[in-house]
Amino acid sequence: VQLVESGGGSVQAGGSLRLSCTAREHTYSRYHMSWFRQLPGKEREGVAGIYNPGGSTYYGDSVKGRFTISQENEQRLYLQMDNLKPEDTATYYCAAVERRRLTNKQDLGRAELYTVWGQGTQVTVS
C-alpha cells in the first residue's frame, strides 16, 4: 500500500489543522492505521491510531482531548488537530501496519512495528 499525506502548514497557537492520508488501496481489511510525528534528531512519536476492524482508537498522552483520528471509505485517514501548541510542531507521518503484525491495541504507538510510511507533512505552530 502507498500512503500520501496532505494538509500540513503553519498556524498560530490555538488554531486547527486537518491532516489527510490517502491510501492507494483499501486498507481496513489488512491494516491498522496511525499517525506519528518526528522532530529532527528525535525518535518518531505515536500521535494517534486506529485498530481495525472495529475502529478502536489510541492517542498519545500529549494530544488527548485535542486531536481526533478518523478513517473514511477504507482509503482515507484523517487527523483533526485542535488547540494546537508550539510543541506540536513536527513532521507528521501516516503509517500502516499489517494486522497480523500488531495484535494488541496498546502497541499502536510503536513505530518500529510499522512497515508502510507516507512521505510526511510539516506542521508548524507559532
Side-chain angles (χ1 to χ4, degrees), residues 2 9-10 15 28 34 41 46 50 58-59 63 70 73-74 78 89 94 104 108 117 119-120 123:
Q2 287 184 292
S10 297
Y28 301 173
S34 289
I50 289 184
Y58 149 88
Y59 291 96
V63 306
S70 61
N73 297 334
E74 299 201 21
Y78 299 104
T89 296
C94 174
N104 186 338
L108 280 171
W117 294 86
Q119 82 286 356
V123 171

Side-chain angles (χ1 to χ4, degrees), residues 21-61:
C21 173
T22 301
R24 297 296 175 89
E25 65 181 76
H26 291 183
T27 60
Y28 301 173
S29 62
R30 293 184 57 192
Y31 299 95
H32 307 300
M33 303 294 297
S34 289
W35 289 96
F36 290 82
R37 65 187 182 187
Q38 188 173 28
L39 286 168
K42 302 286 188 180
E43 292 187 355
R44 288 186 181 179
E45 172 192 6
V47 175
I50 289 184
Y51 193 83
N52 288 315
S56 296
T57 56
Y58 149 88
Y59 291 96
D61 289 340

Side-chain angles (χ1 to χ4, degrees), residues 94-114:
C94 174
V97 56
E98 290 183 2
R99 287 167 52 192
R100 61 180 178 85
R101 288 176 53 88
L102 193 161
T103 58
N104 186 338
K105 174 191 167 184
Q106 303 305 317
D107 291 333
L108 280 171
R110 291 179 57 190
E112 69 272 19
L113 296 178
Y114 288 73

Side-chain angles (χ1 to χ4, degrees), residues 69-80:
I69 189 171
S70 61
Q71 54 191 6
E72 176 185 88
N73 297 334
E74 299 201 21
Q75 288 182 267
R76 292 269 172 85
L77 184 74
Y78 299 104
L79 184 68
Q80 177 66 41

